[in-house]
């Protein structure tokens, strides 16, 4: 397979795994402090990524030069994850996932500022359609709510986190100096773990870890291994092979995956009218993929 195809497959897996963290996170968001949870999650992810790195021959010489780069990336990713769980305290998973689909639109701005990546006309149309679908879900298909800008508190909190995520994506390419995706991931989660441990130390110590519900532990393992270690590798792998806007275009699949997760967990599907907004996000993804095929042709 060529590098572009591998990048697209990486992001397909990324969107499915990320969706699971929204649904599982919604089950336990009110059971533990988000910063304490995310700090432990990063340390567990560091163990998983470290083992993977050793299995692939370890870290190369000079892999951790200029450690400030990892602090920047770890800080951005930490903000995103903490605010995601803060948002899930009050917002339903599908709505939070819809907010996440606004990231590609924000990425295009940051990608232009940092990388001078230019947005094509077809990509602009696709991003607009995707944003429309996201707003459809966020405002629950209610035009009056949109006109009043009656957005939920949880969605508003997570939107701030999504700004951090949007900045993170082009920063990976800007700061990478040839390190492998696994190496760069390890540095990112270690730095994120350090920063969050300092920030949330009192909450970490105060958390009754031994008596937490089983849903917290399931979510902790899932998010540490699948939704942090694996997805960060997939994201950084794809970011080095695809334009930033197209990497994040796969977030348009997240609400669809969340609906599948919600049904599998017995939470049911959203109302049919809201599903129309999800359909628009899928349409946006296909338009972006057609734009990619046109560029290759």
């Amino acid at each position: 397979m060529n590098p572009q195809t591998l990048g697209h497959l990486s992001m397909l897996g990324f969107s499915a795994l990320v969706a699971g963290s929204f649904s599982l996170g919604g089950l336990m968001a009110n059971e533990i402090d988000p910063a304490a949870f995310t700090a432990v999650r990063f340390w567990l992810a560091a163990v998983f990524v470290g083992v993977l790195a050793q299995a692939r021959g370890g870290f190369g010489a000079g892999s951790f030069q200029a450690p400030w780069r990892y602090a920047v990336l770890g800080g951005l990713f930490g903000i995103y994850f903490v605010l995601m769980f803060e948002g899930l305290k009050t917002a339903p998973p599908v709505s939070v996932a819809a907010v996440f689909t606004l990231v590609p639109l924000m990425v295009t701005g940051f990608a232009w500022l940092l990388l001078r990546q230019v947005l094509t006309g077809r990509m602009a149309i696709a991003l607009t359609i995707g944003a429309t679908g996201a707003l459809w879900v966020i405002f629950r298909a209610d035009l009056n709510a949109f006109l009043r800008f009656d957005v939920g508190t949880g969605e508003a909190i997570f939107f701030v986190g999504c700004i951090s995520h949007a900045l993170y994506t082009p920063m990976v390419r800007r700061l990478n100096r040839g390190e492998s995706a696994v190496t760069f991931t390890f540095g990112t989660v270690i730095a994120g773990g350090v920063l969050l441990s300092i920030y949330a130390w009192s909450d970490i110590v105060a958390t009754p870890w031994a008596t937490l519900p089983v849903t917290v532990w399931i979510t902790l393992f899932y998010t540490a291994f699948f939704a942090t270690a694996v997805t960060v590798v997939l994201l950084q792998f794809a970011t080095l092979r695809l334009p930033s806007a197209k990497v994040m275009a796969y977030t348009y699949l997240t609400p669809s995956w969340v609906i599948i997760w919600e049904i599998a967990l017995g939470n049911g599907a959203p109302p049919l009218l809201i599903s129309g907004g999800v359909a628009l996000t899928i349409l946006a993804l296909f338009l972006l993929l057609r734009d990619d095929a046109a560029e290759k042709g």
Side-chain angles (χ1 to χ4, degrees):
M1 292 185 184
N2 61 49
Q4 289 75 24
T5 300
L6 291 174
H8 286 301
L9 290 175
S10 296
M11 290 310 300
L12 185 64
F14 169 89
S15 62
L17 293 175
V18 165
S21 65
F22 288 111
S23 292
L24 291 173
L27 296 176
M28 49 66 62
N30 291 295
E31 302 290 346
I32 184 174
D33 176 76
F37 178 89
T38 305
V40 175
R41 166 187 183 174
F42 272 26
W43 287 118
L44 285 176
V47 173
F48 293 136
V49 177
V51 170
L52 176 61
Q54 291 303 317
R56 298 180 60 178
F59 303 105
S63 293
F64 302 105
Q65 291 181 347
W68 63 268
R69 298 176 297 151
Y70 298 111
V72 170
L73 296 175
L76 290 172
F77 229 37
I79 291 170
Y80 163 74
F81 282 127
V82 170
L83 294 184
M84 181 186 82
F85 285 105
E86 284 287 355
L88 283 167
K89 287 182 177 181
T90 56
V94 174
S95 293
V96 173
V99 176
F100 188 53
T101 64
L102 294 173
V103 169
L105 191 60
M106 294 185 282
V107 165
T108 59
F110 287 126
W112 183 84
L113 288 172
L114 297 172
L115 306 172
R116 288 299 185 264
Q117 290 181 352
V118 180
L119 187 67
T120 67
R122 185 175 297 185
M123 286 177 67
I125 293 173
L127 291 172
T128 301
I129 292 173
T132 301
L135 293 173
W136 185 328
V137 177
I138 293 167
F139 290 101
R140 302 168 294 281
D142 185 341
L143 180 59
N144 290 326
F146 174 74
L147 294 175
R148 296 193 310 270
F149 202 73
D150 184 17
V151 63
T153 301
E155 289 90 343
I157 290 172
F158 184 55
F159 179 75
V160 177
C162 287
I163 295 174
S164 180
H165 197 303
L167 178 57
Y168 169 87
T169 304
M171 286 296 287
V172 168
R173 179 171 286 194
R174 180 68 181 269
L175 298 180
N176 186 274
R177 298 182 180 179
E179 296 90 351
S180 69
V182 173
T183 297
F184 224 49
T185 299
F186 183 77
T188 297
V189 294
I190 285 288
V194 170
L195 293 173
L196 282 173
S197 294
I198 295 172
Y199 171 76
W201 182 251
S202 59
D203 292 312
I204 294 172
V205 173
T207 298
W209 296 98
T211 59
L212 289 173
V214 67
T215 53
V216 174
W217 291 105
I218 291 173
T219 306
L220 182 62
F221 177 82
Y222 178 89
T223 55
F225 182 68
F226 293 106
T228 301
V230 176
T231 60
V232 171
V233 171
L234 292 174
L235 178 61
Q236 295 188 354
F237 180 89
T239 297
L240 297 176
R241 289 159 179 80
L242 299 171
S244 295
K246 290 184 182 179
V247 167
M248 296 314 298
Y250 275 89
T251 62
Y252 288 137
L253 281 182
T254 305
S256 301
W257 285 116
V258 169
I259 290 174
I260 295 173
W261 273 92
E262 290 292 289
I263 293 173
L265 292 172
N267 297 328
L272 185 60
L273 190 58
I274 290 180
S275 298
V278 175
L280 284 179
T281 64
I282 297 175
L283 174 60
L285 170 66
F286 281 111
L287 287 175
L288 285 169
L289 293 183
R290 285 193 52 167
D291 182 67
D292 183 60
E295 286 180 2
K296 292 178 183 178

